[in-house]
Amino acid sequence: MFRGSIFVDPFISIGRISRRIYGHFIEHWGRCIYGGIWVGPNSSIPNINGFRKDVIEAVRGIRASIVRWPGGNFSSQYHWLDGIGPRENRPRKLNLAWITKEGAEIEINEFGTDEYIEWVRLIGAEPFIVVNMGNGSPEEAANWVEYCNSSKDTYFARLRVKYGHREPYNVKIWGLGNEQWGWWQVGFTLSGEEYGRRALEFANEMKRVDPSIELVAVGHDEDMEWNIDMLKMLKDYIDYLSIHTYIWPENYSYEDFVATSLLIEDKIRAVYSTIVYAKNRYGIKKDIKIAYDEWNVWYPEARDYPYIQITSVKDAVWTALFLNTLHKYSDHVKIANFAQLVNSIALIIARDDGSLLLTPQYLVFKLYTMHNARDVVKTVVESPSYISEKLGKVVDYIDVSTLREDNILYIYIVNRSRDEEAEIDVHIKNLTPKAVEHLYIAGRSIDDKNTFDNPNNVEIENNKEFSILGNTINVKLKPHSINMLKIYT
Ligand code: AHR
C-alpha cells in the first residue's frame, strides 16, 4: 500500500466543462449501425421503430451528449440522398471506405438522415454530421444543410417535410470531412493547404444556407504544419479543429499504456498552442477550440471485419485517465467523441441473437456522466510516481480531476498501480464534507472483462469504508481502480 494526498480548492475554477466532451461516434462500419443500432421494425429483437431497444437503454445510461455520424472514413464516400425517402427504394451500394477480405462492405442505406435524427432524439443527444469531402461536392453538403435545417419553401427543405418531418432538425455541429490527410480516405488531400482550400468552398456554401451552423475542420494530432496550413486557408470560417488518437495497446507494457494519457495532454497543449499561433499570425478572430472527435484504444483482433474487441479493466483505467485529461483541458477541448459506441471497437456489444454486453469502459462513462457540473476546480496531487522510459515521462500513480456542481464536488481519482492499494487523504479547502459517497470500478485484475457468459464480472461498486475528519476524507483505493467521490458540502 502507498500513501498520497489530494488538495482541492473548490472556489478556484480552472475551466468550464462543455457537456459535449461526453460524446460518442457511430459509423457505417462492421456491425455498428446494422445489427447494433438498427435492426428494422420487423426484427424479432425488441425495437422502437427499428432501433434496438436494449442499445437505446444502454446509451441513455451513459447520457451521451452528442453523437457524430455517419463516419469516419465512411463519410468521405457517402451520398446522403441515398439514405432518404421510402426505404424500399434506397440503393444498395458499395461502402468504399471499408474493404474486407471479400471486398467492399455493402451499404443498404436503411439508416439515413431521418433515422439518425430520430435515434439521436430517442437517446436524448445532439446530432453532429460529417459531410462528404472525399467524393462529394460543396453543393451536396449545402443541400444536406438545407434538408436538415431550413424551414423555407425550397426543394430540399420540402423533401424533408414530404418524408414526414415538418420541423427542421437544427443540426448545429457539422464536420468538414474526415482525416483528409490519410491515404486510406476516399478523396484524401496532400497538404493542409489543399484541404483548407477545398474545405473553404464547403464552409462557404454550407454557411450561406445556414449561417448559424458551427464547423469542425480536419486537423492532425501530430502534424502541426498541416494545422497551420489549413487554418491559414480557413481562418474565421471554422469553430473547431478536429483531432483523432488511437492507442495500439500491443505496443506498450501496462505501466507505459496507462502513462499515455500524458501524451494526450502533450497533444492537446501542442494543438492548442498551434491554434493560438495561427490565430496571431493570420489575424483569425474566432475562438477556435479542439474537437477530439475520435479517441480510443484499438486492439489487433479488431483490425478486420467485424472489428469487435472486448476491452478490460486496464482499458477502463485508460479511458478514465483520458476523461480526466479532458476535464483538465476543458477550456481547450469543447467536443469529444469516443470511437465507437456500438460493436465496432465499442463500449457496447450487441449480438444478432439479441444479447448485449457492457464493457468496463462503458462503466467508466457511466461514472463520469453522473454529474451535472460545469466547473473544473483546482486540484493538486501528492503521489508516488514511476518512470516510463518508453514515453520519457515521470508518472504519478494517482491521477485526479475535480468538478463542482453547486454544493457538490465530484472527485474522479484513478489509481494506476497494477498491484498496490492507495491510502489517500483528500483535503477540501474551506469546506467541510457533510456526506460522502465512494463508487469505484476495479475488477480483480487489469485483465478482467465482462463476457456474455459473465456479463457482470466487472461492476461499479460502492465502498462505505472511509472516514471524515474535519475537512479531510481518508479513503482507500483499490489497485487499477477508477473512483468517484461525491462530496456534499
Ligand atoms: O473509428 C474507425 C476509423 O478510424 C474511422 O472511420 C476513421 O476516421 C479512423 O481512421
Side-chain angles (χ1 to χ4, degrees):
M1 171 141 69
F2 66 88
R3 292 186 60 93
S5 299
I6 291 171
F7 302 88
V8 178
D9 192 335
F11 300 106
I12 302 287
S13 173
I14 59 161
R16 296 280 283 170
I17 284 208
S18 149
R19 197 81 207 170
R20 286 178 176 147
I21 62 169
Y22 305 114
H24 293 274
F25 171 38
I26 57 171
E27 176 168 12
H28 294 243
W29 178 41
R31 306 287 295 153
C32 175
I33 303 286
Y34 301 110
I37 288 170
W38 174 258
V39 285
N42 301 324
S43 170
S44 57
I45 297 178
N47 65 82
I48 304 173
N49 300 339
F51 307 105
R52 265 185 94 137
K53 224 172 166 173
D54 51 357
V55 171
I56 290 172
E57 273 156 27
V59 179
R60 282 184 183 152
I62 51 172
R63 302 178 71 195
S65 55
I66 183 166
V67 179
R68 181 174 180 256
W69 171 84
N73 299 341
F74 179 81
S75 60
S76 298
Q77 51 80 70
Y78 177 61
H79 300 288
W80 68 271
L81 278 165
D82 293 341
I84 58 162
R87 275 186 214 113
E88 60 279 13
N89 298 341
R90 298 187 193 171
R92 285 169 69 84
K93 288 219 167 153
L94 293 175
N95 176 345
L96 296 178
W98 292 105
I99 315 292
T100 68
K101 289 189 195 94
E102 284 75 43
E105 286 185 31
I106 307 274
E107 173 54 46
I108 56 175
N109 278 309
E110 282 186 21
F111 188 96
T113 307
D114 298 329
E115 287 78 15
Y116 164 66
I117 296 289
E118 186 180 346
W119 184 77
V120 156
R121 303 275 188 251
L122 276 170
I123 59 162
E126 179 188 359
F128 168 2
I129 294 182
V130 181
V131 302
N132 176 351
M133 269 195 57
N135 63 12
S137 68
E139 187 183 6
E140 181 186 28
N143 293 342
W144 205 357
V145 176
E146 182 188 324
Y147 184 86
C148 290
N149 289 3
S150 175
S151 48
K152 295 221 165 74
D153 187 14
T154 52
Y155 181 77
F156 291 103
R158 269 207 309 229
L159 209 54
R160 186 195 65 243
V161 176
K162 177 174 158 194
Y163 294 142
H165 311 281
R166 175 152 297 281
E167 292 307 315
Y169 293 146
N170 288 324
V171 179
K172 191 98 195 145
I173 308 288
W174 292 80
L176 296 169
N178 177 71
E179 295 185 358
Q180 292 291 320
W181 33 258
W183 55 265
W184 52 88
Q185 209 67 219
V186 171
F188 67 92
T189 47
L190 294 175
S191 67
E193 194 164 329
E194 187 192 336
Y195 164 75
R197 180 71 197 86
R198 285 198 65 208
L200 190 58
E201 292 176 34
F202 279 72
N204 182 26
E205 215 159 313
M206 290 163 74
K207 284 213 170 222
R208 279 165 195 250
V209 177
D210 181 354
S212 76
I213 59 175
E214 294 180 10
L215 296 176
V216 183
V218 172
H220 200 288
D221 67 337
E222 284 173 355
D223 184 349
M224 297 308 135
E225 207 172 308
W226 170 284
N227 293 337
I228 292 170
D229 289 348
M230 69 90 168
L231 285 167
K232 178 172 82 187
M233 306 304 289
L234 281 162
K235 295 203 172 74
D236 289 303
Y237 276 88
I238 61 158
D239 302 86
Y240 306 92
L241 182 149
S242 138
I243 53 173
H244 295 172
T245 298
Y246 292 96
I247 296 289
W248 318 105
E250 72 272 25
N251 294 343
Y252 300 94
S253 67
Y254 167 76
E255 281 69 22
D256 291 335
F257 174 65
V258 293
T260 56
S261 62
L262 301 181
L263 298 184
I264 304 299
E265 287 193 27
D266 289 348
K267 285 176 194 296
I268 293 173
R269 274 198 295 261
V271 171
Y272 198 72
S273 311
T274 305
I275 294 174
V276 172
Y277 167 79
K279 279 181 64 169
N280 290 335
R281 178 146 181 205
Y282 301 115
I284 301 169
K285 304 270 173 317
K286 262 279 171 63
D287 191 14
I288 299 170
K289 301 291 188 186
I290 295 171
Y292 222 129
D293 54 13
E294 288 186 31
W295 64 273
N296 195 3
V297 298
W298 194 337
Y299 280 89
E301 66 267 27
R303 309 239 168 101
D304 273 318
Y305 189 88
Y307 312 103
I308 289 181
Q309 60 188 22
I310 304 207
T311 52
S312 65
V313 164
K314 76 171 184 201
D315 306 299
V317 170
W318 182 87
T319 303
L321 290 164
F322 199 107
L323 288 169
N324 271 357
T325 306
L326 294 182
H327 288 169
K328 290 178 216 170
Y329 290 87
S330 57
D331 270 350
H332 298 358
V333 184
K334 291 294 178 189
I335 300 178
N337 304 80
F338 181 87
Q340 299 192 2
L341 187 57
V342 190
N343 284 341
S344 304
I345 55 168
L347 292 181
I348 300 167
I349 316 293
R351 276 189 179 161
D352 290 345
D353 62 5
S355 54
L356 190 93
L357 182 72
L358 305 175
T359 61
Q361 286 182 297
Y362 171 92
L363 301 176
V364 171
F365 270 94
K366 202 166 174 109
L367 216 55
Y368 273 71
T369 53
M370 280 182 177
H371 67 86
N372 289 311
R374 295 304 305 273
D375 282 299
V376 187
V377 300
K378 184 178 168 195
T379 306
V380 176
V381 63
E382 232 176 60
S383 159
S385 6
Y386 62 95
I387 292 176
S388 162
E389 298 283 357
K390 187 173 170 89
L391 272 54
K393 298 277 186 197
V394 175
V395 190
D396 284 346
Y397 280 106
I398 295 296
D399 186 87
V400 60
S401 67
T402 308
L403 311 180
R404 196 192 65 219
E405 174 192 325
D406 302 323
N407 60 342
I408 305 175
L409 293 171
Y410 291 83
I411 311 188
Y412 290 99
I413 316 170
V414 180
N415 177 7
R416 285 185 170 102
S417 173
R418 182 200 290 257
D419 316 297
E420 278 193 78
E421 200 174 37
E423 183 176 351
I424 304 289
D425 282 329
V426 182
H427 306 278
I428 316 287
K429 194 169 172 187
N430 294 332
L431 281 181
T432 310
K434 292 200 178 90
V436 175
E437 285 170 33
H438 175 200
L439 299 181
Y440 70 95
I441 305 160
R444 282 166 311 273
S445 86
I446 58 170
D447 297 317
D448 250 7
K449 294 181 174 183
N450 287 336
T451 61
F452 282 95
D453 292 334
N454 194 358
N456 300 318
N457 186 36
V458 181
E459 285 183 304
I460 297 180
E461 299 180 62
N462 191 347
N463 168 41
K464 298 203 159 51
E465 316 244 306
F466 47 80
S467 61
I468 308 173
L469 193 67
N471 62 351
T472 299
I473 303 154
N474 177 275
V475 63
K476 293 203 177 78
L477 312 177
K478 300 264 187 216
H480 50 78
S481 65
I482 301 117
N483 305 267
M484 184 187 82
L485 290 183
K486 183 175 181 184
I487 303 174
Y488 300 84
T489 61

